[in-house]
């Protein structure tokens, strides 16, 4: 979290400047379209099919090197297959002009190929995400935070190039995916250098049938469902607004989200670091889990409240500046995002405690329930109150469908005999 706090001023400043550059080049409506396209990869159901969770857990448990290698190899094979399918799908939908139809955007070659380019590059970056999962499991999440902190400056640089070269929409939209590809390469290099996991050998053996992988379905399966539901719920807000409201409201929401995202990343960085801590603690006894869980709940809740207060106080002014004062960013939008921060923060310790197969199955069920409520609720609220609607809808859905049953299950585990907390 401290490392993220060190990175966030740079990322936040770059995000604000990026928005300003894009708005000055293609207007508020164009910025809304570019923001929607740039976040489209996050809408792709189960981006890594949950295999990253298997890698993180295997490394965190301290399995033998051959066992970890087998898990990494099996995960990479899934990711390479998925990347190939995603690139082909992105190009086919772009060539047939179906992207604009699916997203409710103007049907022009520029829009369709911009989306196709963004999704295709994102597909190429999928296998490289294995590096960050190895770093997380090895207790090196702070390294991953620094590496992926390079994304915001890279996106700003690419947008400046796009404006100077007059490339049009495609480079603005694809900039985040290109930055993700570059940082993924760096993360894999750091994972190989800082852990005993030989990622280079794993990549070389992906297509070799004689190299045997491990069984990862019991962890990857539930995580795939979680990975499918959460991005659809969290990132579908722009898509909801593009259908239920106006492009101006989409632009307003995108400005608020650009301020919200770095704050959420602070919480996520600290929350994910609890994963290997809880995995190792479960291997011993419940007393080792109870203390970090309860202190984590208190600390993360307090952090969420603090960040939410700052968002409400300063967010509207920053958001309006990003849009060059063409339209005002309302306090109601920042209040919705603030509530979402508090819900996220206070839930993280429970989510990280429930990362064994049984816990992941429970989270998969609650994620499906949350998604079933979130999409219609966000659509109704967006049509009535505009940009603030989806943020409020997401917060309410996560609270009732995930937070309540997840925290209850976590507390129940802490009261259970130690043998129930041991990870298989």
């Amino acid at each position: 979290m401290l490392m993220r706090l060190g990175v966030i001023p740079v990322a936040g400043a770059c995000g604000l400047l990026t928005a300003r550059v894009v708005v000055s080049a293609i207007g508020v409506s164009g910025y809304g379209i570019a923001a929607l396209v740039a976040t489209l990869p996050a809408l792709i159901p189960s981006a890594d099919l949950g295999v990253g969770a298997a890698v993180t857990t295997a490394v965190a448990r301290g399995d033998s090197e051959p066992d970890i290698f087998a898990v990494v190899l099996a995960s990479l094979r899934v990711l390479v297959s998925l990347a190939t399918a995603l690139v082909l799908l992105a190009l086919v939908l772009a060539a047939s002009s179906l992207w604009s139809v699916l997203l409710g955007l103007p049907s022009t070659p520029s829009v369709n190929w911009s989306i196709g380019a963004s999704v295709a590059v994102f597909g190429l970056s999928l296998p490289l995400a294995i590096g960050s999962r190895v770093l997380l499991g090895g207790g090196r999440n702070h390294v991953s935070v620094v590496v992926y902190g390079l994304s915001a400056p890279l996106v700003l640089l690419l947008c400046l190039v796009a404006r100077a070269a007059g490339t049009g929409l495609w480079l603005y939209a694809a900039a985040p995916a290109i930055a993700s590809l570059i940082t993924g390469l760096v993360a894999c290099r750091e994972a190989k250098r800082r852990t005993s996991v030989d990622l280079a050998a794993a990549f070389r053996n992906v297509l070799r049938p004689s190299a045997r992988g491990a069984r990862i379905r019991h962890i990857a399966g539930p995580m795939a469902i979680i990975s499918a539901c959460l991005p659809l719920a969290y990132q579908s807000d722009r898509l909801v607004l593009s259908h239920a409201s106006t492009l101006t409201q989409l632009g307003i929401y995108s400005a608020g989200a650009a301020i919200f995202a770095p704050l959420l990343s602070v919480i996520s960085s600290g929350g994910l670091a609890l994963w290997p801590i809880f995995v190792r603690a479960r291997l011993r006894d419940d007393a080792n889990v109870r203390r970090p869980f309860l202190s984590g709940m208190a600390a993360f809740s307090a952090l969420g409240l603090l960040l939410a207060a700052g968002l409400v106080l300063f967010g509207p002014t920053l958001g309006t500046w990003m849009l060059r004062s063409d339209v005002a960013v309302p306090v109601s939008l920042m209040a919705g995002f603030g509530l979402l921060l508090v819900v996220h923060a206070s839930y993280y310790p429970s989510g990280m405690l429930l990362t064994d197969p049984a816990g992941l199955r429970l989270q998969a069920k609650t994620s499906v329930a949350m998604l079933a409520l979130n999409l219609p609720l966000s659509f109704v609220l967006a049509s009535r109150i505009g940009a603030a609607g989806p943020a409020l809808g997401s917060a309410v859905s996560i609270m009732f469908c995930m937070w309540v049953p997840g925290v209850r299950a976590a507390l129940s585990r802490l009261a259970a005999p130690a043998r129930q907390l041991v990870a298989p």
Side-chain angles (χ1 to χ4, degrees):
M1 289 176 68
L2 290 174
M3 196 65 73
R4 174 60 71 181
L5 287 172
V7 170
I8 196 172
V10 176
C14 288
L16 294 174
L17 291 172
T18 298
R20 184 90 172 185
V21 168
V22 177
V23 170
S24 67
I26 55 179
V28 174
S29 296
Y31 170 63
I33 294 175
L36 172 60
V37 174
T39 56
L40 184 61
L43 296 172
I44 297 172
S46 194
D48 70 351
L49 296 180
V51 299
V55 173
T56 296
T57 300
V59 176
R61 282 198 308 248
D63 293 349
S64 66
E65 289 189 18
D67 288 342
I68 294 176
F69 183 84
V71 171
V72 170
L73 183 61
S75 300
L76 273 179
R77 284 173 172 161
V78 173
L79 293 176
V80 169
S81 300
L82 180 61
T84 302
L86 194 55
V87 170
L88 292 175
L89 177 64
L91 298 179
V92 168
L93 291 180
S96 58
S97 300
L98 289 176
W99 278 120
S100 57
V101 175
L102 291 173
L103 301 182
L105 297 174
S107 184
T108 65
S110 173
V111 169
N112 280 287
W113 283 107
S114 295
I115 301 171
S118 178
V119 176
V121 175
F122 169 74
L124 294 175
S125 71
L126 275 179
L128 301 175
I130 205 78
S132 65
R133 310 303 276 176
V134 171
L135 287 169
L136 173 60
R140 301 290 193 277
N141 196 44
H142 56 285
V143 177
S144 182
V145 167
V146 173
V147 170
Y148 283 95
L150 299 173
S151 292
L154 285 171
V155 171
L156 175 58
L157 177 60
L158 289 168
C159 288
L160 288 171
V161 171
R163 187 175 67 173
T167 60
L169 179 64
W170 75 269
L171 187 52
Y172 295 108
I178 296 172
S180 179
L181 182 67
I182 295 171
T183 52
L185 287 168
V186 177
C188 285
R189 177 182 176 276
E190 290 299 309
K192 184 178 183 298
R193 189 168 72 89
R194 295 173 181 269
T195 69
S196 60
V197 181
D198 193 349
L199 286 179
F203 274 99
R204 288 195 300 269
N205 284 276
V206 165
L207 300 180
R208 290 182 56 190
S210 58
R212 297 184 62 183
R215 175 180 174 269
I216 58 176
R217 186 179 303 174
H218 62 300
I219 293 178
M223 195 66 193
I225 297 174
I226 298 169
S227 299
C229 293
L230 294 181
L232 284 172
Y234 300 166
Q235 303 294 340
S236 63
D237 292 348
R238 292 179 179 86
L239 184 58
V240 167
L241 285 166
S242 71
H243 285 282
S245 191
T246 65
L247 287 178
T248 298
Q249 290 296 312
L250 177 58
I252 291 172
Y253 177 91
S254 298
I259 303 170
F260 163 78
L263 300 180
L264 179 61
S265 71
V266 174
I267 296 169
S268 299
S269 297
L272 286 173
L274 293 175
W275 189 331
I277 292 173
F278 286 161
V279 167
R280 296 185 186 110
R282 283 200 307 264
L283 292 173
R284 295 189 291 270
D285 59 62
D286 57 344
N288 287 311
V289 181
R290 186 184 306 274
R291 183 174 180 181
F293 175 79
L294 295 177
S295 61
M297 278 284 290
F300 275 77
S301 298
L303 177 63
L305 288 169
L306 179 63
L307 294 179
L311 189 63
V312 173
L313 288 174
F314 304 109
T317 301
L318 281 175
T320 301
W321 177 85
M322 288 169 61
L323 299 179
R324 303 177 68 192
S325 300
D326 291 346
V327 290
V329 174
V331 175
S332 60
L333 174 62
M334 293 305 175
F337 277 132
L339 179 60
L340 192 54
L341 277 177
V342 175
V343 173
H344 268 293
S346 56
Y347 179 72
Y348 250 107
S350 298
M352 293 301 98
L353 178 65
L354 302 171
T355 52
D356 63 319
L360 289 174
R361 287 194 296 271
L362 171 66
Q363 291 198 74
K365 295 175 183 177
T366 60
S367 297
V368 171
M370 178 271 297
L371 180 62
L373 175 62
N374 180 74
L375 290 177
L377 180 59
S378 294
F379 193 90
V380 170
L381 292 174
S383 63
R384 295 189 177 185
I385 61 177
L392 180 60
S394 295
V396 171
S397 301
I398 296 168
M399 170 61 76
F400 285 101
C401 297
M402 292 186 67
W403 195 99
V404 171
V407 172
R408 181 187 301 166
L411 293 174
S412 176
R413 283 196 175 198
L414 294 177
R419 64 178 182 275
Q420 295 186 24
L421 294 172
V422 175

